[in-house]
Amino acid sequence: MGLLWQQVGIMVTSAIWIAGQLETMAKMEVKSSLLDNMIGVGDMVLLEPLSEETFIDNLKKRFDHSEIYTYIGSVVISVNPYRSLPIYSPEKVEDYRNRNFYELSPHIFALSDEAYRSLRDQDKDQCILITGESGAGKTEASKLVMSYVAAVCGKGAEVNQVKEQLLQSNPVLEAFGNAKTVRNDNSSRFGKYMDIEFDFKGDPLGGVISNYLLEKSRVVKQPRGERNFHVFYQLLSGASEELLHKLKLERDFSRYNYLSLDSAKVNGVDDAANFRTVRNAMQIVGFLDHEAESVLEVVAAVLKLGNIEFKPESRVNGLDESKIKDKNELKEICELTSIDQVVLERAFSFRTVEAKQEKVSTTLNVAQAYYARDALAKNLYSRLFSWLVNRINESIKAQTKVRKKVMGVLDIYGFEIFEDNSFEQFIINYCNEKLQQIFIELTLKEEQEEYIREDIEWTHIDYFNNAIICDLIENNTNGILAMLDEECLRPGTVTDETFLEKLNQVCATHQHFESRMSKCSRFLNDTTLPHSCFRIQHYAGKVLYQVEGFVDKNNDLLYRDLSQAMWKAGHTLIKSLFPEGNPAKVNLKRPPTAGSQFKASVATLMKNLQTKNPNYIRCIKPNDKKAAHIFNESLVCHQIRYLGLLENVRVRRAGYAFRQAYEPCLERYKMLCKQTWPHWKGPARSGVEVLFNELEIPVEEYSFGRSKIFIRNPRTLFQLEDLRKQRLEDLATLIQKIYRGWKCRTRFLLMKRSQVVIAAWYRRYAQQKRYQQIKSSALVIQSYIRGWKARKILRELKHQKRCKEAATTIAAYWHGTQARRELRRLKEEARNKHAIAVIWAYWLGSKVRREYRKFFRANAGKKIYEFTLQRIVQKYLLEMKNKMPSLSPIDKNWPSRPYLFLDSTHKELKRIFHLWRCKKYRDQFTDQQKLIYEEKLEASELFKDKKALYPSSVGQPFQGAYLEINKNPKYKKLKDAIEEKIIIAEVVNKINRANGKSTSRIFLLTNNNLLLADQKSGQIKSEVPLVDVTKVSMSSQNDGFFAVHLKEGSEAASKGDFLFSSDHLIEMATKLYRTTLSQTKQKLNIEISDEFLVQFRQDKVCVKFIQGNQKNGSVPTCKRKNNRLLEVAVP
């Protein structure tokens, strides 16, 4: 029995150890290989069988399960999901940090970590090449790479500042270099290469950005359904009203010809919020406030350039010239840029050609003027973008001189095949040809180096070398770019057709060039090839190019007059963008063409990339609808072909499809061999050799390198995986069997021990219960005996107590009887004494009443009257308390009088109450309200029942300052001329003394003077001191006419009295009366009469008011009848 239990213990121990080992392996395998829980195939090198259909099916299967990343060896394929996925969290960053490339499922973080660790630990400069067509997610991929590197590198205030500047350069470049296209809402319209510089610890020091071929033609024209660059819409949507006013812009997009309206708004894009983000990013990167303002001024100037329009005009010599239709836009542009308007207008109308010592000036027709305008807008924006890149480089460049490690990130346009392909697509596809060339070369080079490093025999790999296509484009003598430059520089008539003819002559026999007009007879009847086009067989397929516009776009000319006009600008930034406009540095040499510049940039880029270790991210767009969960197989197939992904897989699989270090290989497959399971004591390579010999894998299917095992065919790897999966299931079954037996035995032993414990506890409980019963019985007997003894003693005590109580009771009764007898005797004596006192009192009362009756009968009537009157008054006052009206002074209600004799009292109470509530109401007034009511009261005393206009003025508040001279900039000159406080500022009609017609004047009343000023200019016409005003006259009717009489002989009275008409007559007369009284201490005479005399120069004229029907409605009219009569007709 003991031996059996010993064997069971050994088995349990073994099972527990195996379970622990498998648990450890399971934990490791959660993050140990891309082969675990694999959806489809994580590495296309392992795809079996390999074909275009299986390649696409594998991508689709992974895409449907939100697995957007797939490997081709060390290349990452990224499929744009068009939605947010939870795979970029800080936890994911930590998962991939310091991990082997194949240790986890495919991810862009794995490639970023591999590149960063190689740079930090192995001192190898890195470059990450991100390619794909527009909308495939290249920009987002570059952001993810940079954010991962920023997250895993060092910390510290200075390092964090550098990281923040590097990351914040993206929003600025996206705003100025990205636009919404039919394929992508945030399409990069330029190529960007960023070198991030690190120190020896791997901490970022700074960076350098290079930009390639900004699509500046988008500034002046956008295809249907697309937008201009983001910054234009962000500025108009997010700028404050103050900033827009300063930039002379309006928020309405439709005001600007350079902005397309059919797609001005993009769903899910907040241009206003993005503008705030860009301004903040510019501040973080290091732009000064005046620099940011200058950039926005240039953007505004570009927008407004599109609104300049031209009209034709014929000269005397018969030549056509152009003139600007509306010069307001030109004026605002010149104000923004500080350019002389005459200089810029001439630059749009004339062109000066210099040749040695001669200058020839020619006029521009309308078409040429529009070309010059658009060329200026494109050049201005393109140079601004280049300046932005250089300015960012100044801020983010490394400040130290120490040796640096470099990681380059290339985000550049992918291969483009549109319905209409022009010069831009030709240049872009040339760049992609060069990238494909370097990709194949570096991939093969990397494969060959690894084989040599691992001491594996290298076999030659056949592949398509696209050097012949690159040579067709870039050859210095007969390449397409060289011929295009030669055609642009050739004197004489140069057109796109002459350029195509030259191509047909030179490239006719080239196997990758096709043209309908070439000497090659096989294309003469090809109807798919138009006459004005040529076709190139690129590595990604055939592309048909429209030759129209090649020459103009390659020339990219900006007239010298415009360059010189820009250089003369007072705007510092614009002047720096056009150094060739400096007359002191005139260069008659023709500037380099766009094609030659781009060719040189691409050559520099290729040279730079060849010095670094490459890492590739191939971006694929799953559909053209920018929608999630849609996988268009034909579109993906097209991208797979032109990205050369299948060829990449074939190159990778030409030798050995899979390779892995010995340690992880042995750790993963050691359970398949008894000799290596559970532990292998020797070297890892020896263990792998034993393992593969035990499994009888054919020798030609694998090869041993120095540090890795190389497997030729993916089927061998999948066979190993199937064997491992079966072995894991067998081990799991064994563990379950041993564990179940151990669990049952453990339960039996536990039940046995439990039974013994339960029995012991039960016996103890039984004894305790019997003891308690005996103890309780003894207590009951004791209690009964004690109770009997106690009751016996109690009976004896009660008997003794009753005897004592009986004697006490008898004595008490006796004493009570004696006391009651004495009480009855005393009560009898008291009753006798009380009867005598009552009889005496009644007799005295009778005597007093007889005497009082004689006195009461004489005074009873008067007393009753006074009492009744007092009660009536008291009742009256109490009722008045409950019937009191409201405290409003205008409330006329008052309770009715109850009795006639209270009439005078009733009226006096009403008067007192009204005075009291008026006082309460007045106490609530502020000083300003008191002044207003005083003026109203003064007006009432002056005009009530005298002037018919007065009742309508009662409800109107007296405002005085109707013109708000202090706030209106129009009257600033008038305000500065008056130093006193203005009491009234109102527009009145001054009646002409000669003909009775009216003129608008500003009527101003101050503390000492009365002034009249011109309404339009604000110039003071007349100034009258108040001491010279003697009287104010007006009619009693409902009109606004009044006359101001002046003291005879005064300077102000030289032209006579004034006659005015105003809508606020009552207020003006009242304030004039009060002000005169305050200053002169004399009351101003107010004459109210329908006829009065006024002094007009030397004549006295009678002003007479009559009733009459008016032609113009209810407005009074004034008419001079003769020298002595002025008649005013009042309706």
Side-chain angles (χ1 to χ4, degrees):
M1 185 68 178
L3 182 60
L4 176 61
W5 282 112
Q6 185 177 4
Q7 292 176 350
V8 169
I10 293 172
M11 292 177 68
V12 169
T13 304
S14 301
I16 293 173
W17 181 85
I18 293 172
Q21 287 290 313
L22 289 176
E23 183 179 1
T24 303
M25 289 173 61
K27 289 181 180 178
M28 291 175 61
E29 287 165 4
V30 170
K31 299 179 179 180
S32 65
S33 176
L34 58 83
L35 298 172
D36 291 319
N37 303 320
M38 187 167 57
I39 297 170
V41 178
D43 190 344
M44 289 294 188
V45 176
L46 305 177
L47 187 63
E48 188 69 25
L50 177 62
S51 65
E52 195 173 79
E53 291 75 16
T54 57
F55 193 100
I56 296 173
D57 288 342
N58 186 54
L59 280 180
K60 186 177 187 304
K61 183 186 296 184
R62 293 179 62 78
F63 178 79
D64 292 340
H65 289 82
S66 299
E67 293 287 342
I68 63 171
Y69 295 112
T70 309
Y71 291 155
I72 300 178
S74 60
V75 178
V76 175
I77 302 175
S78 172
V79 184
N80 193 344
Y82 288 116
R83 60 191 174 103
S84 298
L85 295 176
I87 58 174
Y88 307 109
S89 61
E91 292 77 14
K92 279 288 183 183
V93 172
E94 290 301 319
D95 287 345
Y96 282 88
R97 187 172 185 172
N98 294 327
R99 292 282 184 177
N100 185 276
F101 186 74
Y102 296 103
E103 200 169 335
L104 299 175
S105 59
H107 202 291
I108 195 172
F109 286 170
L111 180 137
S112 305
D113 186 75
E114 181 76 12
Y116 175 70
R117 285 191 296 112
S118 298
L119 176 137
R120 183 191 62 191
D121 302 336
Q122 302 176 21
D123 204 18
K124 293 181 180 179
D125 287 348
Q126 304 289 317
C127 64
I128 297 177
L129 280 69
I130 306 172
T131 57
E133 72 172 50
S134 178
K138 300 187 299 298
T139 302
E140 288 302 315
S142 66
K143 290 180 185 177
L144 290 172
V145 170
M146 292 178 65
S147 63
Y148 178 85
V149 173
V152 300
C153 63
K155 308 294 181 184
E158 187 175 347
V159 173
N160 288 338
Q161 181 182 359
V162 172
K163 291 193 291 186
E164 188 67 16
Q165 286 185 334
L166 290 172
L167 294 175
Q168 290 301 323
S169 65
N170 279 325
V172 179
L173 294 178
E174 284 185 17
F176 287 86
N178 288 24
K180 188 257 183 195
T181 65
V182 292
R183 297 185 175 185
N184 186 2
D185 290 344
N186 188 31
S187 176
S188 297
R189 307 316 299 162
F190 71 104
K192 181 180 73 173
Y193 177 74
M194 174 184 280
D195 268 335
I196 307 173
E197 299 173 338
F198 298 83
D199 63 9
F200 69 97
K201 303 190 300 296
D203 294 339
L205 297 173
V208 179
I209 299 174
S210 302
N211 65 300
Y212 301 96
L213 194 66
L214 176 72
E215 188 190 10
K216 55 186 176 183
S217 61
R218 180 172 294 272
V219 174
V220 299
K221 185 179 180 181
Q222 305 90 43
R224 185 171 183 81
E226 298 190 3
R227 295 205 312 176
N228 211 322
F229 291 102
H230 291 327
V231 69
F232 297 113
Y233 305 92
Q234 293 173 359
L235 175 60
L236 296 180
S237 300
S240 63
E241 294 294 340
E242 179 183 359
L243 180 57
L244 287 178
H245 179 72
K246 183 177 180 182
L247 297 177
K248 306 184 186 304
L249 296 176
E250 298 180 23
R251 209 174 290 281
D252 186 8
F253 295 157
S254 62
R255 296 278 298 168
Y256 304 101
N257 298 332
Y258 278 167
L259 300 184
S260 60
L261 300 180
D262 56 341
S263 58
K265 295 291 184 181
V266 181
N267 293 332
V269 176
D270 187 350
D271 287 320
N274 290 341
F275 180 73
R276 293 190 291 272
T277 302
V278 171
R279 291 298 298 268
N280 183 56
M282 292 177 76
Q283 187 176 5
I284 292 174
V285 171
F287 282 81
L288 302 177
D289 290 341
H290 71 87
E291 290 178 329
E293 290 177 5
S294 297
V295 169
L296 296 180
E297 287 170 353
V298 175
V299 173
V302 172
L303 261 182
K304 298 185 77 63
L305 273 174
N307 290 351
I308 296 179
E309 296 182 347
F310 302 92
K311 60 183 179 180
E313 187 170 303
S314 298
R315 301 182 71 181
V316 178
N317 57 8
L319 296 176
D320 290 337
E321 67 175 10
S322 61
K323 291 292 183 182
I324 297 176
K325 288 183 180 179
D326 183 7
K327 296 185 180 180
N328 186 48
E329 293 286 351
L330 181 67
K331 178 183 176 183
E332 292 183 349
I333 292 173
C334 293
E335 290 174 357
L336 271 176
T337 57
S338 301
I339 299 176
D340 187 355
Q341 184 175 345
V342 176
V343 173
L344 187 56
E345 184 177 1
R346 176 176 174 80
F348 279 133
S349 302
F350 294 88
R351 179 188 178 188
T352 303
V353 179
E354 297 184 21
K356 296 184 180 180
Q357 302 300 323
E358 297 182 1
K359 287 186 179 181
V360 179
S361 180
T362 60
T363 60
L364 300 179
N365 58 30
V366 173
Q368 291 171 333
Y370 277 116
Y371 174 84
R373 180 201 68 176
D374 292 344
L376 177 61
K378 291 187 290 184
N379 272 272
L380 190 57
Y381 191 83
S382 175
R383 298 183 188 203
L384 172 65
F385 186 77
S386 299
W387 180 88
L388 279 171
V389 173
N390 294 332
R391 180 64 183 84
I392 292 173
N393 285 337
E394 289 179 12
S395 296
I396 66 176
K397 67 180 180 181
Q399 302 299 324
T400 60
K401 301 291 185 180
V402 298
R403 181 178 176 273
K404 309 176 190 69
K405 307 174 184 179
V406 178
M407 176 185 289
V409 180
L410 177 64
D411 172 11
I412 202 163
Y413 5 69
F415 200 88
E416 292 187 350
I417 304 176
F418 298 144
E419 290 184 6
D420 294 324
N421 302 287
S422 186
F423 180 74
E424 290 85 1
Q425 283 69 46
F426 176 75
I427 290 295
I428 288 171
N429 294 342
Y430 162 61
C431 179
N432 278 271
E433 285 285 356
K434 295 295 290 183
L435 288 174
Q436 178 68 9
Q437 184 182 23
I438 195 173
F439 170 68
I440 295 295
E441 290 177 359
L442 292 178
T443 301
L444 289 174
K445 181 181 177 182
E446 183 183 0
E447 284 283 296
Q448 185 175 5
E449 287 177 352
E450 184 173 17
Y451 278 43
I452 295 171
R453 187 170 56 249
E454 293 293 329
D455 200 16
I456 301 294
E457 183 180 356
W458 170 256
T459 56
H460 177 72
I461 299 174
D462 293 325
Y463 66 96
F464 170 68
N465 189 346
N466 67 337
I468 187 173
I469 302 175
C470 296
D471 185 68
L472 169 65
I473 298 173
E474 67 181 2
N475 189 284
N476 291 328
T477 56
N478 55 4
I480 295 177
L481 287 176
M483 286 185 285
L484 181 59
D485 288 348
E486 182 180 336
E487 192 69 12
C488 291
L489 298 174
R490 180 175 63 81
T493 304
V494 177
T495 63
D496 297 317
E497 288 73 19
T498 60
F499 165 62
L500 182 59
E501 289 176 7
K502 191 160 191 173
L503 286 184
N504 291 332
Q505 293 173 8
V506 178
C507 304
T509 58
H510 199 287
Q511 58 182 336
H512 291 277
F513 179 85
E514 301 174 5
S515 174
R516 188 83 172 269
M517 304 300 293
S518 69
K519 297 178 182 178
C520 187
S521 59
R522 58 194 174 101
F523 301 118
L524 292 176
N525 299 320
D526 188 353
T527 56
T528 63
L529 190 59
H531 291 282
S532 61
C533 300
F534 66 92
R535 189 159 54 202
I536 294 179
Q537 170 114 31
H538 290 280
Y539 76 92
K542 293 183 178 181
V543 183
L544 183 69
Y545 295 105
Q546 300 280 349
V547 77
E548 182 182 357
F550 262 62
V551 174
D552 283 342
K553 291 176 182 178
N554 188 50
N555 270 326
D556 193 22
L557 286 179
L558 179 66
Y559 296 149
R560 191 184 306 276
D561 301 75
L562 288 171
S563 298
Q564 292 176 350
M566 293 295 106
W567 187 85
K568 293 177 182 177
H571 196 282
T572 308
L573 176 55
I574 293 181
K575 187 170 185 176
S576 67
L577 297 180
F578 293 87
E580 74 277 10
N582 187 352
K585 300 179 180 179
V586 173
N587 185 4
L588 299 180
K589 185 178 179 181
R590 190 181 184 93
T593 61
S596 61
Q597 290 182 47
F598 188 72
K599 176 182 173 183
S601 299
V602 169
T604 304
L605 176 63
M606 296 301 116
K607 185 177 179 180
N608 192 359
L609 294 179
Q610 286 176 340
T611 63
K612 296 179 175 62
N613 185 47
N615 302 272
Y616 300 96
I617 300 174
R618 302 297 207 184
C619 298
I620 291 179
K621 180 169 65 173
N623 60 78
D624 278 329
K625 298 179 180 179
K626 296 179 279 190
H629 307 293
I630 298 178
F631 191 91
N632 188 327
E633 295 187 11
S634 61
L635 178 64
V636 173
C637 177
H638 171 69
Q639 295 173 78
I640 288 172
R641 287 174 182 171
Y642 77 65
L643 287 173
L645 298 183
L646 273 176
E647 189 170 38
N648 188 9
V649 177
R650 292 189 182 101
V651 169
R652 184 77 178 183
R653 289 177 56 162
Y656 293 90
F658 183 76
R659 63 215 64 184
Q660 190 175 24
Y662 291 122
E663 288 79 5
C665 180
L666 181 62
E667 187 67 30
R668 185 169 184 82
Y669 302 112
K670 62 183 179 179
M671 74 285 298
L672 301 179
C673 175
K674 293 182 180 179
Q675 299 179 44
T676 57
W677 177 255
H679 283 299
W680 173 256
K681 302 297 183 182
R685 172 170 178 167
S686 301
V688 174
E689 291 177 354
V690 170
L691 175 64
F692 274 53
N693 290 332
E694 179 74 18
L695 295 175
E696 297 181 352
I697 297 174
V699 178
E700 62 273 8
E701 285 295 322
Y702 62 89
S703 182
F704 294 104
R706 295 180 184 275
S707 61
K708 295 180 181 179
I709 175 74
F710 287 74
I711 298 176
R712 186 179 300 279
N713 199 308
R715 286 193 298 270
T716 304
L717 181 65
F718 294 143
Q719 181 183 355
L720 286 173
E721 286 294 315
D722 292 339
L723 292 173
R724 179 177 179 274
K725 183 178 180 181
Q726 182 62 43
R727 181 58 178 161
L728 288 175
E729 291 177 359
D730 295 341
L731 290 173
T733 304
L734 174 63
I735 292 170
Q736 288 177 347
K737 179 182 71 174
I738 297 176
Y739 172 73
R740 287 171 183 158
W742 169 82
K743 185 176 180 182
C744 290
R745 285 189 292 276
T746 304
R747 185 171 181 274
F748 167 74
L749 293 174
L750 180 61
M751 292 178 65
K752 183 177 179 181
R753 287 195 300 272
S754 300
Q755 187 273 333
V756 173
V757 172
I758 291 170
W761 277 91
Y762 176 76
R763 286 193 292 271
R764 176 185 175 187
Y765 167 76
Q767 292 298 323
Q768 286 178 343
K769 187 175 181 181
R770 185 167 177 272
Y771 166 75
Q772 291 294 337
Q773 289 177 348
I774 295 173
K775 182 179 179 180
S776 61
S777 300
L779 291 175
V780 169
I781 294 171
Q782 288 176 353
S783 64
Y784 271 99
I785 292 174
R786 292 190 185 102
W788 173 76
K789 288 183 178 181
R791 285 191 294 275
K792 182 178 178 182
I793 295 171
L794 180 62
R795 281 195 298 272
E796 293 176 353
L797 293 174
K798 283 183 176 181
H799 177 69
Q800 294 175 4
K801 184 178 179 182
R802 277 197 296 271
C803 291
K804 291 180 181 179
E805 288 177 351
T808 304
T809 301
I810 293 170
Y813 271 96
W814 168 248
H815 293 152
T817 301
Q818 293 294 325
R820 282 191 292 276
R821 287 176 183 173
E822 183 66 21
L823 179 62
R824 282 196 295 271
R825 186 182 64 79
L826 293 174
K827 284 182 177 181
E828 187 66 27
E829 290 179 0
R831 276 197 296 272
N832 293 336
K833 292 179 180 180
H834 180 68
I836 295 169
V838 168
I839 293 168
W840 172 251
Y842 271 95
W843 183 81
L844 289 176
S846 175
K847 183 179 178 181
V848 169
R849 281 191 294 275
R850 282 197 299 271
E851 293 294 327
Y852 181 73
R853 287 192 192 99
K854 298 177 184 178
F855 175 78
F856 181 76
R857 288 190 183 96
N859 300 286
K862 183 179 179 181
K863 293 289 183 181
I864 291 171
Y865 170 77
E866 291 176 353
F867 177 77
T868 304
L869 189 63
Q870 182 181 3
R871 291 295 298 163
I872 289 173
V873 172
Q874 183 180 10
K875 181 180 178 183
Y876 164 71
L877 293 174
L878 290 174
E879 289 178 351
M880 284 292 291
K881 176 184 177 183
N882 298 326
K883 295 180 180 179
M884 284 293 177
S886 66
L887 294 179
S888 174
I890 62 174
D891 190 355
K892 302 295 185 180
N893 295 326
W894 187 252
S896 61
R897 179 195 61 199
Y899 302 103
L900 183 61
F901 74 92
L902 292 174
D903 183 59
S904 60
T905 304
H906 195 69
K907 292 179 179 178
E908 183 65 17
L909 281 176
K910 180 179 180 181
R911 186 184 69 82
I912 294 171
F913 178 76
H914 181 68
L915 292 175
W916 173 78
R917 68 183 176 182
C918 286
K919 182 179 181 304
K920 295 286 286 184
Y921 185 75
R922 287 196 303 273
D923 291 344
Q924 299 174 5
F925 289 169
T926 63
D927 293 340
Q928 184 178 1
Q929 288 175 323
K930 287 181 180 179
L931 180 61
I932 292 172
Y933 280 101
E934 286 176 2
E935 291 178 346
K936 286 287 185 180
L937 184 60
E938 193 81 58
S940 175
E941 293 174 354
L942 292 173
F943 304 108
K944 186 176 182 181
D945 299 330
K946 299 176 183 178
K947 177 72 175 173
L949 185 65
Y950 171 72
S952 63
S953 71
V954 173
Q956 299 176 357
F958 289 175
Q959 298 182 11
Y962 289 94
L963 295 185
E964 296 184 346
I965 290 178
N966 294 331
K967 298 181 181 178
N968 195 333
K970 178 180 177 182
Y971 302 120
K972 183 177 185 303
K973 182 178 179 182
L974 180 60
K975 174 180 174 294
D976 295 340
I978 301 174
E979 298 179 354
E980 300 178 88
K981 178 184 177 182
I982 297 175
I983 300 172
I984 290 180
E986 164 67 336
V987 176
V988 300
N989 291 323
K990 177 180 173 294
I991 307 303
N992 191 293
R993 298 179 177 91
N995 53 21
K997 295 184 179 179
S998 61
T999 305
S1000 296
R1001 288 288 186 266
I1002 297 175
F1003 184 95
L1004 298 173
L1005 177 62
T1006 65
N1007 290 331
N1008 296 307
N1009 297 292
L1010 186 153
L1011 299 96
L1012 295 177
D1014 186 78
Q1015 184 183 5
K1016 294 182 179 178
S1017 64
Q1019 182 179 359
I1020 296 176
K1021 295 291 186 179
S1022 301
E1023 183 174 359
V1024 180
L1026 291 183
V1027 296
D1028 293 343
V1029 178
T1030 60
K1031 184 173 66 172
V1032 174
S1033 300
M1034 63 187 72
S1035 73
S1036 62
Q1037 300 184 36
N1038 192 17
D1039 63 276
F1041 283 85
F1042 69 99
V1044 178
H1045 300 272
L1046 306 180
K1047 184 188 295 183
E1048 292 185 6
S1050 65
E1051 183 181 352
S1054 60
K1055 293 184 180 180
D1057 301 336
F1058 292 102
L1059 183 61
F1060 301 109
S1061 173
S1062 172
D1063 294 335
H1064 302 93
L1065 168 62
I1066 302 299
E1067 177 183 359
M1068 296 178 71
T1070 303
K1071 287 185 180 288
L1072 182 60
Y1073 175 84
R1074 287 175 59 85
T1075 306
T1076 305
L1077 179 62
S1078 173
Q1079 295 299 321
T1080 64
K1081 308 301 180 183
Q1082 295 180 359
K1083 292 185 178 179
L1084 181 65
N1085 185 15
I1086 304 293
E1087 179 185 359
I1088 300 177
S1089 172
D1090 289 344
E1091 288 188 19
F1092 54 81
L1093 295 176
V1094 294
Q1095 183 76 32
F1096 285 172
R1097 294 189 183 276
Q1098 304 303 323
D1099 301 328
K1100 286 195 177 288
V1101 179
C1102 176
V1103 180
K1104 184 177 181 180
F1105 292 83
I1106 63 173
Q1107 298 286 337
N1109 296 325
Q1110 305 300 313
K1111 296 180 181 179
N1112 55 349
S1114 60
V1115 180
T1117 58
C1118 180
K1119 189 173 182 181
R1120 184 76 178 262
K1121 290 291 187 178
N1122 51 49
N1123 291 340
R1124 300 295 179 179
L1125 178 62
L1126 186 67
E1127 203 171 74
V1128 180
V1130 181

